[in-house]
Amino acid sequence: MTHINETARQILRKNDRGGYTVPTDGLYPYQWNWDSVFAAWGFATFDNDRAWTEVETLFSGQWDDGMVPHIIFHQSDPGYFPGPDVWGTNKTPQTSGISQPPVAATLVRKIYEMDPETGRTRLAALYPRMVAWHRWWHEVRCAPGPACITHPWESGRDNCPDWDVGMANVDGSNVGPYQRRDTGHVDASMRPGKEDYDRYIAILQFGKACGWNHAEIMANGPFLMADPGITFILLRAHRDLIALGQELGEDVSEITGWADALEAAVPSIWNPDLGAYDARDIRTGTWANNLSSAAYLFLYAGIENPQMDAQMQRTWDAVTYGIPSSDPEATHFDPRRYWRGPMWPVVNSLIAVGLKDSSRDADEARLRRETATLIKKSGFYEYFDPVDGTPCGGSNFTWTAAIWLTWAGRD
């Protein structure tokens, strides 16, 4: 176990680019939003100062409107597509034009609680930036009620079947030629297909054409879907931000209002025909009719729902290792293709927080054991086949190493 712990720490150090951490060498050469905050959580187990620096560097890319982008392009890397020129946001530092799941407040709270005395000054400086980001989420992306995304990449679950109904209405036929780089690093059968990628670029091109005007994108963009994953992550993050604000003696009434409004919107993502929380196309009202692992973050958000308990147990018991990213009984289930079926250790770690908080200790221990088994057997991969345990995606992956140090390898 000591050897594995040191390997995990070495991965974080190896992927450290001086103030920020890349998800893995080669495949992802920049700072990704939620990956970076998980990296900070991992660093906090052995280097508290480095943990705070990671989050501070992430927020150095925050826009004036409060948005924290999903990628910050700190340095040039021509081998990555789509790079800063394709996004064309004209920011300093250069960034993408969309955001990513707001796990920051939750994980910053965990980092702070590891060493409150050392972290208080840095928390105080970071706090107003986190409030501004949450305000952006509330005012812009939660305007329809639940948290919404304007690009599948914004969800962090790029090609999840949740987005199929919305993507079907995106015309990707006129995006022009481009050269993907991801399939040069990872088996193409494990990545989104070309038709998906064409549509991703079409959505990006709309944003660039309107100067990344978020009001215009929300009103007329080609893709807008309610996301159960971000809804639950943001609801939990609001509550953790409230706790951090109270620790600092701040007035948290505005954040409390955001949390109350978002919790009131949760019933709007309940699909009665599916019997589960579900993604929904805001433009058409069409349900995704897909049971994804994001729906199992209901406990993470502090919501009790017996039907969801039963759904989670059913899909979990249908595989061998961890929580699959999509329902194994669905026709579109693909156990090795990115978010269409594989088990993601990082998502397991968030689901486990909810299980622990709701006193489902046996389930939390089972999820930790199954996640740890695959990491010990195959290494720190991006994700795994939940049926036979085959490692998939990038290797020496930052957030897998981070959740080993903070959760999966705890015992």
Side-chain angles (χ1 to χ4, degrees), residues 65-108:
D65 64 4
M67 187 186 82
V68 181
H70 97 294
I71 306 174
I72 304 178
F73 303 105
H74 291 289
Q75 58 188 18
S76 175
D77 190 322
Y80 179 79
F81 179 87
D85 293 343
V86 179
W87 286 95
T89 60
N90 299 315
K91 300 293 181 180
T92 304
Q94 296 185 92
T95 75
S96 65
I98 58 175
S99 197
Q100 243 187 350
V103 295
T106 299
L107 299 188
V108 164

Side-chain angles (χ1 to χ4, degrees), residues 250-266:
E250 298 283 347
D251 179 359
V252 297
S253 56
E254 182 183 25
I255 310 169
T256 300
W258 302 338
D260 290 345
L262 189 55
E263 184 168 6
V266 167

Side-chain angles (χ1 to χ4, degrees), residues 76-205:
S76 175
D77 190 322
Y80 179 79
F81 179 87
D85 293 343
V86 179
W87 286 95
T89 60
N90 299 315
K91 300 293 181 180
T92 304
Q94 296 185 92
T95 75
S96 65
I98 58 175
S99 197
Q100 243 187 350
V103 295
T106 299
L107 299 188
V108 164
R109 182 182 181 186
K110 290 184 178 297
I111 293 166
Y112 174 74
E113 289 176 346
M114 290 179 184
D115 188 350
E117 184 176 352
T118 302
R120 187 174 182 86
T121 299
R122 299 176 86 164
L123 172 63
L126 193 60
Y127 177 78
R129 288 180 169 270
M130 292 193 292
V131 172
W133 190 26
H134 283 230
R135 183 180 293 111
W136 178 85
W137 272 107
H138 174 74
E139 294 180 350
V140 180
R141 291 293 194 258
C142 294
C148 295
I149 58 168
T150 61
H151 194 299
W153 291 343
E154 198 160 50
S155 71
R157 300 179 296 118
D158 302 8
N159 68 329
C160 177
D162 281 8
W163 319 130
D164 290 358
V165 295
M167 287 279 278
N169 296 321
V170 178
D171 181 3
S173 63
N174 298 308
V175 297
Y178 61 89
Q179 180 62 53
R180 289 174 66 174
R181 305 292 181 180
D182 58 326
T183 51
H185 294 280
V186 175
D187 183 345
S189 70
M190 298 179 182
R191 303 294 292 179
K194 184 181 186 305
E195 187 175 9
D196 284 335
Y197 224 86
D198 288 346
R199 289 167 171 164
Y200 296 151
I201 301 304
I203 300 168
L204 185 161
Q205 289 175 347

